[in-house]
Amino acid sequence: QVQLVESGGGLVQAGGSLRLSCAASGLTFSGYSMGWFRQAPGKERAFVAAISWSGGSTNYAESVKGRFTISRDNAKNTVYLQMNSLKPEDTAVYYCAATRIALTTISQVYAHWGQGTQVTVSS
């Protein structure tokens, strides 16, 4: 079965950096566009970033543009989210997800989801 396993979350001070990883198995990774979403306490899950099958195109939420970078390594079946200049409002559980629809921001069309990794940014 399909598995997406996130790692790399943790506690960091404001202004710091973290790199999230999501290792995929049970699917043809290069055939999927990948996305990152986040959910803060009491809020709905929100789009963060997406990357195309080849990695040649990306899409970002306005709130993270210029600070976060999504990338992928199809040889390792892994997608990454480099997060720089972190702010307390970035605190959330971060999820990776896979979809056949390129670069979509709509969570409902992502077919496969990881279990999430907690990111906490202290002020």
Side-chain angles (χ1 to χ4, degrees), residues 97-116:
T99 179
R100 292 287 196 178
I101 302 175
L103 303 175
T104 181
T105 65
I106 304 171
S107 61
Q108 289 88 342
V109 301
Y110 282 80
H112 307 290
W113 291 83
Q115 82 290 348

Side-chain angles (χ1 to χ4, degrees), residues 71-90:
S71 61
R72 66 189 295 162
D73 185 338
N74 286 346
K76 295 183 178 180
N77 285 4
T78 301
V79 62
Y80 305 97
L81 186 67
Q82 177 67 44
M83 305 186 295
N84 299 329
S85 301
L86 282 161
K87 304 174 181 180
E89 51 264 43
D90 294 319

Side-chain angles (χ1 to χ4, degrees), residues 2 8-9 31-33 35 39 45 54 61 66 74-75 77 85-86 98 103 105 123:
V2 176
Y32 284 81
S33 181
Q39 187 166 20
R45 191 170 297 185
S54 67
N74 286 346
N77 285 4
S85 301
L86 282 161
L103 303 175
T105 65
S123 57

Side-chain angles (χ1 to χ4, degrees), residues 19-67:
R19 187 194 197 201
L20 305 183
S21 299
C22 172
S25 60
L27 76 171
T28 304
F29 185 70
S30 60
Y32 284 81
S33 181
M34 300 297 294
W36 287 95
F37 289 76
R38 65 187 181 186
Q39 187 166 20
K43 295 188 177 181
E44 293 188 353
R45 191 170 297 185
F47 170 77
V48 175
I51 189 165
S52 62
W53 302 274
S54 67
S57 298
T58 56
N59 188 17
Y60 294 94
E62 285 297 325
S63 59
V64 306
K65 276 183 181 178
R67 299 189 298 123

Side-chain angles (χ1 to χ4, degrees), residues 5-12 17-22 36 80-81 83 86 94 115-120:
V5 180
E6 301 97 334
S7 60
L11 174 63
V12 64
S17 298
L18 281 175
R19 187 194 197 201
L20 305 183
S21 299
C22 172
W36 287 95
Y80 305 97
L81 186 67
M83 305 186 295
L86 282 161
Y94 283 72
Q115 82 290 348
T117 186
Q118 176 70 47
V119 171
T120 302

